[in-house]
Amino acid sequence: MRLITAVIKPFKLDDVKAALEQSGIKGMTVSEASGYGRQRGHTEVYRGAEYQVDLVPKVRVEVLAEEDDAEDVIDVIVKAAQTGKIGDGKVWSVPVDTVIRVRTGERGPEAL
């Protein structure tokens, strides 16, 4: 199993969610995040005054998937989140040793 994590622009969340549902993903975790990449934030103007936004608001999406499905899930997320502009985000995956469904005690792929 793999944990796929995506940090994306907030306005792309609905597109990513719909694409994952359409591809058969049954669950995900979403949380607010903030950070910066190579661009190190950006400058905005408010009432004529310029100020630096160091931490850009983002959304973190986490999906557990079976090993065979992980690359497909990553592709779905990337296609749905992509705008082609700086700051689109990142997607990565890491191996997961154990998953347990709390309610039933099921382990492994059955817990997904």
Side-chain angles (χ1 to χ4, degrees), residues 74-89:
I74 290 169
D75 290 342
V76 166
I77 293 171
V78 169
K79 285 177 186 162
Q82 194 171 52
T83 68
K85 297 188 175 145
I86 291 174
D88 273 352

Side-chain angles (χ1 to χ4, degrees), residues 9-112:
K9 292 182 175 184
F11 70 88
K12 294 302 284 182
L13 177 60
D14 288 338
D15 295 342
V16 169
K17 183 180 167 193
L20 287 171
E21 287 174 358
Q22 191 173 30
S23 69
I25 299 301
K26 295 180 175 78
M28 69 183 79
T29 300
V30 177
S31 53
E32 292 181 15
S34 59
Y36 61 85
R38 290 184 187 164
Q39 79 275 8
R40 292 214 169 273
H42 62 276
T43 303
E44 289 189 4
V45 178
Y46 179 71
R47 293 189 178 184
E50 221 176 74
Y51 65 97
Q52 182 69 23
V53 177
D54 293 332
L55 298 175
V56 180
K58 299 286 185 177
V59 174
R60 181 180 177 124
V61 178
E62 296 174 306
V63 177
L64 279 169
E66 292 194 46
E67 193 78 35
D68 296 342
D69 299 331
E71 283 302 316
D72 292 335
V73 171
I74 290 169
D75 290 342
V76 166
I77 293 171
V78 169
K79 285 177 186 162
Q82 194 171 52
T83 68
K85 297 188 175 145
I86 291 174
D88 273 352
K90 299 273 189 290
V91 180
W92 64 90
S93 73
V94 294
V96 174
D97 294 329
T98 305
V99 176
I100 303 166
R101 181 173 294 163
V102 174
R103 180 178 56 86
T104 62
E106 291 171 295
R107 292 175 174 266
E110 294 80 29
L112 297 180

